[in-house]
Amino acid sequence: MGPHGLGLALACCLLLAFACGPVLGRVPRGQLEQQQQQGTREPPLDHAERDEEKHEKYSSRQEEEPPASRCFRCCDPGTPMYQAIPVPQINITILKGEKGDRGDRGVQGKYGKTGSVGARGHAGPKGQKGSMGAPGDRCKNHYAAFSVGRKKPLHSNDYYQTVIFDTEFVNLYGHFNMFTGKFYCYVPGIYFFSLNVHTWNQKETYLHIMKNGEEVVILYAQVSDRSIMQSQSLMLELQDQDEVWVRLFKGERENAIFSDEFDTYITFSGYLVKPATEP
């Protein structure tokens, strides 16, 4: 190749360099902006400065008119990178309401099963001596006693006869009624009674000591040529308003008791031995 051919080749290379140089030296817009941002990047900020910068950035954007929306393709160079918006955090403490009113009381539940008896505990220490009590009521004494006699003889008839006494020896508080011939109990308790009579010769002696219309004991003497003294005694437990008296048997047999106006041959006595209120 001669000098003419060499010069032609050099000229072609220069033309080609001038034609392709701008194209080969072109940098994509997104890459160029990225390089510029890297060249001008400022040192990292702390959390407080970042929050302040974001506040100023968002407040300035709200004041400005929002830019017109543009469409971008994901393959276009320089597609803007959207930053993730943080999820807002809700303070639950500010949502707590006031304390409500107290509700109604519920229905009582069923009783549980009775447990087993526990072991007996240890004996405790001896207590202190108590104070003296108030004085009690005055001791009330209860008395009841009577002793009566008869000076007239008595013969049987067709009916039972209550022996009426005409002589009063002792009649405490008038518990023995001289008109009815009966003792009325006003102090319940245990009583002792005694009956003494004089028999009539050639006649029977047939009497009963009665309690509330029932025959309790009998005083009996057979027919004899001689008259003798005959007695009977017993103890009875009486309640309030009980009645005790002497009854002559009716005239199925010739029955009589002897006495006269000069001497007392017939006596009936009784007294309280122990009142029911005593222990």
Side-chain angles (χ1 to χ4, degrees):
M1 182 182 292
H4 180 69
L6 184 58
L8 184 59
L10 289 174
C12 291
C13 291
L14 290 173
L15 290 173
L16 184 62
F18 280 109
C20 298
V23 178
L24 296 174
R26 182 179 296 177
V27 180
R29 183 177 176 182
Q31 187 176 359
L32 180 60
E33 291 178 357
Q34 185 176 3
Q35 291 177 0
Q36 291 177 359
Q37 290 177 2
Q38 291 178 357
T40 60
R41 181 176 295 174
E42 297 178 357
L45 303 175
D46 56 3
H47 293 286
E49 292 175 352
R50 287 180 183 176
D51 295 340
E52 185 176 0
E53 183 180 354
K54 289 180 181 180
H55 179 71
E56 293 176 358
K57 182 178 179 181
Y58 287 115
S59 61
S60 62
R61 286 183 180 179
Q62 292 175 0
E63 294 174 359
E64 295 176 359
E65 184 179 356
S69 60
R70 294 179 57 190
C71 296
F72 295 95
R73 292 182 298 180
C74 60
C75 59
D76 290 343
T79 303
M81 303 298 293
Y82 295 100
Q83 298 181 356
I85 300 175
V87 179
Q89 300 293 329
I90 300 176
N91 188 1
I92 300 179
T93 58
I94 65 175
L95 300 179
K96 184 178 181 181
E98 297 180 356
K99 185 178 180 180
D101 297 335
R102 185 176 181 180
D104 298 334
R105 186 175 181 180
V107 181
Q108 183 178 359
K110 297 181 179 179
Y111 290 102
K113 296 182 179 179
T114 304
S116 57
V117 180
R120 185 174 182 179
H122 298 289
K126 185 178 181 180
Q128 298 179 356
K129 185 177 180 180
S131 57
M132 181 180 293
D137 297 334
R138 186 177 179 181
C139 181
K140 296 180 180 180
N141 296 323
H142 301 279
Y143 301 100
F146 72 93
S147 182
V148 292
R150 181 182 174 94
K151 289 180 180 256
K152 295 180 180 180
L154 183 63
H155 292 267
S156 62
N157 55 26
D158 296 336
Y159 305 97
Y160 293 110
Q161 299 183 66
T162 300
V163 179
I164 304 299
F165 297 88
D166 50 25
T167 304
E168 183 180 86
F169 300 110
V170 174
N171 191 7
L172 192 62
Y173 308 123
H175 291 179
F176 188 90
N177 191 320
M178 298 295 291
F179 296 97
T180 61
K182 295 181 180 181
F183 170 77
Y184 296 92
C185 176
Y186 295 102
V187 183
I190 298 174
Y191 286 79
F192 176 81
F193 295 96
S194 175
L195 174 63
N196 295 278
V197 297
H198 191 281
T199 64
W200 204 305
N201 55 343
Q202 303 299 325
K203 295 182 180 181
E204 279 188 326
T205 302
Y206 195 1
L207 301 101
H208 285 99
I209 295 179
M210 309 291 294
K211 174 186 174 184
N212 298 332
E214 296 181 359
E215 300 172 355
V216 182
V217 293
I218 187 174
L219 188 153
Y220 178 75
Q222 292 180 345
V223 179
S224 175
D225 295 335
R226 298 182 303 170
S227 60
I228 59 174
M229 294 293 299
Q230 196 79 352
S231 67
Q232 180 66 280
S233 62
L234 78 161
M235 297 181 72
L236 292 174
E237 183 175 3
L238 303 182
Q239 303 297 328
D240 188 30
Q241 298 301 318
D242 281 348
E243 302 175 0
V244 179
W245 73 94
V246 180
R247 187 190 70 178
L248 183 67
F249 200 79
K250 61 185 178 179
E252 294 178 355
R253 305 169 184 176
E254 192 174 0
N255 181 21
I257 51 177
F258 174 82
S259 189
D260 59 32
E261 297 180 356
F262 301 100
D263 295 305
T264 305
Y265 290 89
I266 305 168
T267 60
F268 182 43
S269 303
Y271 60 88
L272 175 66
V273 176
K274 179 180 179 296
T277 55
E278 290 186 4

